[in-house]
Amino acid sequence: RLKGSALARFILKLLGWRVEFQGLPALQGMIVVYPHTSNWDFPIGLLAKWAIGIPAHFWAKDSLFKFPLIGRWMRWVGGIAIDRSAPQGMVASVVDVYARHRRENQLLWMAVAPEGTRSLTAGWKSGFYQVAVGAQVPVALVRFDWGRRTLSFVDFVSLTGDVEVDYARMAQVFAGVKGCRPEMAGPIRPM
């Protein structure tokens, strides 16, 4: 059972946002949030995390952690620094973190925006996919819909390892979702 923050729910309501969440299917998993098109996604997402009470971590580029005060705050709110220049090393280390949490029967959900940036991209970075398949964890598909001002946990999927099938399913789930800057939403396909 998760206990969320009434204050965070109140602030989201004041901002006109709603969170749709029915619970988690497992102790460990990956949260894929789409689309990520604005700096405003972060504070709204953080408020949603607190409103739900989910102690989720999120991946962020390591340059955000280089300044001591900002880095300390980023870790406090759940940030994990990712060196994007060495993806194979990152994938193996994150899979190991999931394995450790599984052995210790501990909760671990990590959130990621697979576009990797707020700018328009040609598709999604593959790190989240490799981690989810390697760690054998379910993936929560979360629609970050600025059109409806709703952050919705709409589906939980187990990736099959068949990239075409899995991406087609994710594209279907995310069809129609509108980012803050819709023109910056990258297509749902592997890069």
Side-chain angles (χ1 to χ4, degrees):
R1 295 204 74 141
L2 301 172
K3 183 179 180 199
S5 163
L7 177 60
R9 286 190 297 273
F10 176 74
I11 293 170
L12 282 170
K13 188 174 182 178
L14 277 179
L15 296 172
W17 279 86
R18 195 168 47 121
V19 178
E20 296 173 346
F21 175 76
Q22 300 298 319
L24 300 169
L27 283 175
Q28 298 88 29
M30 176 77 58
I31 300 169
V32 172
V33 181
Y34 177 81
H36 177 36
T37 62
S38 165
N39 285 331
W40 286 107
D41 295 344
F42 182 74
I44 298 296
L46 202 54
L47 283 167
K49 169 188 157 163
W50 291 335
I52 294 168
I54 185 172
H57 296 279
F58 58 89
W59 295 352
K61 59 185 173 183
D62 60 345
S63 63
L64 295 173
F65 295 80
K66 292 191 191 243
F67 300 101
L69 186 59
I70 294 170
R72 199 170 303 132
W73 181 78
M74 289 287 285
R75 284 180 187 83
W76 180 75
V77 296
I80 296 173
I82 298 298
D83 179 359
R84 296 190 292 186
S85 66
Q88 286 76 19
M90 182 275 299
V91 168
S93 66
V94 176
V95 168
D96 287 344
V97 170
Y98 275 109
R100 187 180 73 243
H101 279 75
R102 183 175 289 128
R103 283 191 306 274
E104 297 171 3
N105 205 33
Q106 292 180 329
L107 182 70
L108 177 65
W109 281 80
M110 288 194 210
V112 62
E115 295 157 291
T117 181
R118 296 165 316 283
S119 303
L120 181 61
T121 62
W124 287 7
K125 294 185 178 285
S126 64
F128 86 93
Y129 189 92
Q130 294 172 39
V131 168
V133 170
Q136 298 178 340
V137 294
V139 175
L141 301 179
V142 178
R143 293 170 56 106
F144 206 124
D145 197 336
W146 280 81
R148 294 180 49 231
R149 294 183 86 76
T150 305
L151 196 138
S152 308
F153 283 70
V154 292
D155 201 359
F156 291 93
V157 298
S158 293
L159 299 177
T160 66
D162 183 330
V163 175
E164 285 186 30
V165 168
D166 292 336
Y167 271 82
R169 179 169 182 191
M170 290 185 285
Q172 184 179 17
V173 169
F174 288 120
V177 68
K178 182 180 178 187
C180 181
R181 296 169 49 213
E183 71 280 3
M184 292 302 196
I188 302 170
R189 65 177 176 230
M191 280 198 311

